[in-house]
Amino acid sequence: AQKITQTQPGMFVQEKEAVTLDCTYDTSDQSYGLFWYKQPSSGEMIFLIYQGSYDEQNATEGRYSLNFQKARKSANLVISASQLGDSAMYFCAMRESEGNQFYFGTGTSLTVIP
Amino acid sequence: DSGVTQTPKHLITATGQRVTLRCSPRSGDLSVYWYQQSLDQGLQFLIQYYNGEERAKGNILERFSAQQFPDLHSELNLSSLELGDSALYFCASSPAGRRETQYFGPGTRLLVL
């Protein structure tokens, strides 16, 4: 089974609107971390946000927030007030405490339309 | 600029050869991670070092090896290269006590012909 599933290969959003990128995960660990990364067309990888499995509050970093629903094993990324510079690939990842393994999803390509 | 440097930026080599990729973490960061991004396999975690010691191992092939030196820079050695090893290799570092935050280098793009 896939550890990380991102079901949206491509998404479009109007500038200034909010957008949600979906991510579901599969683990039997009690302790794990969830990450989102952004990869613009230039190729660099940028860490966006982190959520620990024991964190009670949803993580937020500026315009990024992580909608963490533990029972549903989902960790969706919400980008508010989209900007043209948000156009990029977005990867969801999980780190299991058991073995410290990292797993990545296949990514979602986000295009912000002016 | 993340503060993580990787050299070289591009590398073209032939099958069967051996290459070394170098990574210098941000000043003071003790953890170094290596990742591979290819069209076939997507993003894969290879290995992590913390203060010179191997901390976690991912999908790293036996033909690949890595180490972290006392000055905390790290090298990823790829040997007996195959066409399928063509990929973007990222290094990332994280500060002590904040392993949830990773700073990525610009990557080394390897092309095996």
Side-chain angles (χ1 to χ4, degrees):
Chain A
Q2 291 289 333
K3 287 283 188 178
I4 296 286
T5 302
Q6 293 181 255
T7 57
Q8 307 152 314
M11 290 277 287
F12 292 87
V13 65
Q14 205 75 39
E15 196 178 4
K16 300 179 187 175
E17 297 291 311
V19 62
T20 298
L21 306 184
D22 294 343
C23 173
T24 57
Y25 60 92
D26 181 30
T27 183
S28 54
D29 275 14
Q30 295 302 306
S31 177
Y32 51 90
L34 298 157
F35 304 75
W36 278 93
Y37 299 93
K38 172 184 177 182
Q39 187 174 36
S41 58
S42 52
E44 75 265 33
M45 194 69 70
I46 303 166
F47 162 78
L48 293 179
I49 197 166
Y50 168 84
Q51 177 88 40
S53 58
Y54 290 116
D55 295 339
E56 294 187 355
Q57 304 269 1
N58 284 344
T60 59
E61 290 284 349
R63 293 186 299 110
Y64 305 107
S65 60
L66 199 152
N67 184 359
F68 181 45
Q69 297 187 48
K70 198 169 183 176
R72 297 181 61 186
K73 293 190 174 178
S74 76
N76 298 339
L77 177 70
V78 181
I79 305 175
S80 62
S82 296
Q83 301 172 357
L84 296 178
D86 294 335
S87 294
M89 279 291 286
Y90 289 82
F91 293 95
C92 178
M94 174 178 66
R95 180 176 195 150
E96 291 180 325
S97 290
E98 185 69 34
N100 280 320
Q101 292 297 304
F102 264 104
Y103 302 95
F104 288 85
T106 50
T108 295
S109 176
L110 177 67
T111 302
V112 180
I113 303 166
Chain B
D1 184 356
S2 66
V4 179
T5 60
Q6 288 187 250
T7 55
K9 285 189 177 177
H10 303 277
L11 198 48
I12 302 174
T13 188
T15 54
Q17 295 298 303
R18 174 190 169 94
V19 297
T20 297
L21 312 184
R22 182 188 169 103
C23 168
S24 293
R26 294 183 339 140
S27 177
D29 286 0
L30 299 180
S31 278
V32 169
Y33 307 78
W34 285 99
Y35 301 91
Q36 179 197 59
Q37 185 177 30
S38 66
L39 289 174
D40 289 344
Q41 309 268 16
L43 263 168
Q44 292 197 95
F45 165 66
L46 295 179
I47 198 162
Q48 180 204 350
Y49 280 85
Y50 180 84
N51 203 20
E53 293 193 5
E54 184 183 302
R55 180 60 64 92
K57 209 168 199 177
N59 296 326
I60 188 165
L61 300 172
E62 284 192 14
R63 299 184 286 108
F64 296 0
S65 64
Q67 54 184 324
Q68 187 178 27
F69 294 86
D71 67 352
L72 301 177
H73 92 271
S74 178
E75 292 181 359
L76 179 67
N77 300 295
L78 315 176
S79 61
S80 303
L81 285 167
E82 302 175 0
L83 297 177
D85 297 328
S86 296
L88 185 56
Y89 291 85
F90 285 109
C91 157
S93 72
S94 62
R98 289 201 60 203
R99 66 174 191 166
E100 68 274 12
T101 304
Q102 293 192 22
Y103 300 91
F104 281 77
T108 293
R109 192 170 292 278
L110 174 67
L111 180 60
V112 182
L113 299 175

